[in-house]
Amino acid sequence: MAALEPRDADVADEVLSHAARHDEDGTVLGRAHRALTVGIVSVVLLIAFEATAVGTAMPVAARDLDGVSVYAFAFSAYFTTSLFGMVFAGQLSDRRGPLGALGGGIGAFAAGLLLSGSAQVMWVFILGRAVQGLGGGLVIVALYVVVGRAYPERLRPAIMAAFAACWVVPSVVGPLAAGAVTEQLGWRWVFLGIPVLVVGPLALALPQIRRRAGGPVEGTAVPPFDRRRIRLALAISLGAGLLQYAAQDLRPVSAVPAAAGLALLVPAVRGLLPRGTWRAARGLPSVVLLRGVAAGSFIAAESFVPLMLVTQRGLSPTLAGFSLAAGGGTWALGSWLQSRPWAEPYRERLMALGMVLAAAAIAAAPSVLLPAVPAWTVAVAWGFGCFGMGLVISSTSVLLLKLSAPREAGANSAALQISDGLSNVLLLAMGGAAFAALGGGSVAHAPAAVAAADGGSHPAAFAAVFLPMAAVALVGAWVTTRLHSRDPRHATAV
């Protein structure tokens, strides 16, 4: 082969150098992003294990601490403080970078686990859950900001798919592992074991975050801390807590905390979500609304599936829980599919398909109330529904970062998570109230295995949960037609 001319050699060197850079940056596990990816994905994986394991250990903890009468507050305390943490993390990340919010959030999450795991009375256990929720809210928003700053746009769908995949193994293994630990070592070790495991992922992730996403966005003025948003965050947390409390008690007196909760919640939501969210304004407001509609309708319905299978079809709690296990895999599959480069031009159509699949799964679930319909019908339907949710949830995260200026990524990520979390509690409270009113009992916040102890639920009570949630999911299919912003100048207005 003839020797290269000097100019040809320079060109060859440039091509090889470009190829090397492309290899380093071409995937989320390339040399440039490997440590950061492994670190933040490991954090999400541990949080997923904790979330799926706590529901198994919680009934035993409440019984040992003589706190069954306030059992629901162990869940609601986490949720209400996480809402405040989301807003605070958005403020902090936009002004000082996500490093402080992520480090502080992991610290609070671990401290809450230690507090709950060592509690000797129920109120200390609930306090630990509240501290843990604050940390969880800080972490989830900070991670979104890290993705927006540290990864180029073409890699963001892949990292969001990795986050979704982190829930596959925990959704199957988590309850079994927590059950074994609870039986062999005691429920406390379900809480005390996780903090030690977080050290390794943090050691990988924090130096990379400091280098790639630390500090405010370069070239932009740092706005002052918005105290009004902090006050609104406190209002939304307190309002959500009051509504959850009222939803557990259908007596007329519960209208008082419900009214107080709404009075706090409505102005706070209007101030924290993008303008036009509730009327599905095009662009970012519809992305935020879709996240809430999708997550709220599906999770509210899913919480009643095991209970329905136990009380109406006679399945054991373990078998009923495993009816949802395949959904973790199909959810990850849908999330992986939306991350493929060929899917980008069809993202909105895939999201519409996802909402239709979710609505169909929710509507099909109560068919097992008919004795002639096999119980495994729910498992098949839920597999398709979770596939649809994988298409939608990861895509909303991708679109949010795409429509957000770098200096607004924190506030907009917080709005997305608030829509997600708030819709969960509101739709779950509505479903729980309808369920109780038709003879199902008040189980809006209790794990299915606990609530299933009362087998007297009326079939109509389950239909009153699933069918309205299917209708809400269909509304989400319409919202997908509003995701494209005609005026990009207003895409990030909050």
Side-chain angles (χ1 to χ4, degrees):
M1 180 179 293
L4 292 174
E5 295 293 329
R7 180 180 299 178
D8 294 334
D10 292 341
V11 172
D13 289 342
E14 183 177 347
V15 170
L16 290 174
S17 176
H18 176 77
R21 291 195 302 269
H22 180 75
D23 180 66
E24 290 183 1
D25 298 334
T27 68
V28 294
L29 290 176
R31 188 183 308 171
H33 296 97
R34 186 180 303 141
L36 177 61
T37 298
V38 172
I40 62 176
V41 167
S42 298
V43 169
V44 175
L45 183 65
L46 290 173
I47 290 175
F49 263 112
E50 187 278 336
T52 56
V54 161
T56 302
M58 197 79 77
V60 181
R63 183 191 62 200
D64 287 354
L65 298 175
D66 194 24
V68 175
S69 61
V70 291
Y71 181 84
F73 291 101
F75 292 90
S76 60
Y78 183 99
F79 174 78
T80 53
T81 54
S82 69
L83 285 174
F84 177 77
M86 292 170 188
V87 177
F88 188 80
Q91 292 276 300
L92 189 62
S93 297
D94 284 343
R95 285 150 185 79
R96 301 179 183 177
L99 184 63
L102 182 62
I106 291 292
F109 192 83
L113 286 168
L114 293 174
L115 190 59
S116 291
S118 60
Q120 300 300 314
V121 292
M122 191 63 180
W123 72 264
V124 176
F125 183 89
I126 293 174
L127 177 62
R129 291 288 291 164
V131 174
Q132 187 185 347
L134 177 64
L138 290 168
V139 168
I140 189 63
V141 172
L143 286 177
Y144 273 63
V145 177
V146 169
V147 172
R149 292 193 185 186
Y151 292 85
E153 185 175 328
R154 61 187 174 83
L155 294 183
R156 292 172 192 166
I159 196 67
M160 292 301 176
F163 284 174
C166 287
W167 290 83
V168 177
V169 175
S171 66
V172 178
V173 178
L176 296 177
V181 170
T182 300
E183 292 176 6
Q184 301 299 322
L185 301 177
W187 64 266
R188 296 182 184 278
W189 287 103
V190 175
F191 293 86
L192 298 176
I194 296 292
V196 178
L197 301 177
V198 176
V199 175
L202 282 182
L204 277 175
L206 290 183
Q208 292 294 318
I209 294 172
R210 182 180 294 110
R211 182 168 66 89
R212 293 175 173 274
V217 178
E218 295 183 3
T220 61
V222 179
F225 214 77
D226 192 342
R227 291 184 175 85
R228 174 178 172 272
R229 290 183 67 84
I230 299 301
R231 290 194 297 270
L232 291 176
L234 288 172
I236 201 173
S237 295
L238 182 57
L242 288 171
L243 282 177
Q244 290 177 81
Y245 176 81
Q248 298 176 71
D249 189 352
L250 297 180
R251 295 179 302 171
V253 70
S254 66
V256 176
L262 285 174
L264 289 169
L265 204 59
V266 171
V269 169
R270 288 176 62 88
L272 291 173
L273 298 188
R275 189 180 300 113
T277 296
W278 298 115
R279 57 182 174 84
R282 287 188 174 274
L284 183 65
S286 285
V287 173
V288 172
L289 176 61
L290 178 63
R291 177 61 164 261
V293 168
S297 60
F298 199 78
I299 298 303
E302 185 177 66
S303 65
F304 286 88
V305 169
L307 180 63
M308 179 176 64
L309 292 174
V310 169
T311 60
Q312 302 302 311
R313 297 304 298 264
L315 272 67
S316 69
T318 301
L319 285 178
F322 271 120
S323 69
L324 305 176
T330 58
W331 191 310
L333 177 61
S335 185
W336 174 83
L337 187 66
Q338 64 80 37
S339 73
R340 299 298 87 195
W342 63 262
E344 185 60 37
Y346 308 102
R347 184 172 299 280
E348 293 172 16
R349 294 181 183 178
L350 289 173
M351 295 171 78
L353 172 64
M355 289 310 305
V356 170
L357 289 174
I362 296 171
S367 66
V368 299
L369 295 170
L370 301 173
V373 177
W376 51 259
T377 302
V378 172
V380 175
W382 224 249
F384 281 100
C386 286
F387 176 76
M389 289 295 289
L391 292 174
V392 174
I393 297 299
S394 294
S395 288
T396 57
S397 302
V398 172
L399 285 178
L400 177 109
L401 294 174
K402 184 177 182 179
L403 294 172
S404 299
R407 61 184 176 84
E408 297 172 335
N412 290 343
S413 296
L416 190 76
Q417 295 303 322
I418 289 171
S419 178
D420 187 320
L422 185 60
S423 66
N424 279 343
V425 72
L426 291 180
L427 290 177
L428 188 55
M430 290 171 55
F435 185 77
L438 291 177
S442 182
V443 296
H445 301 283
V450 177
D454 179 8
S457 300
H458 194 280
F462 291 100
V465 174
F466 287 102
L467 297 182
M469 295 307 157
V472 173
L474 283 178
V475 172
W478 170 77
V479 176
T480 63
T481 66
R482 311 279 297 171
L483 301 178
H484 179 69
S485 177
R486 291 174 177 172
D487 187 357
R489 294 174 299 174
H490 301 295
T492 59
V494 177

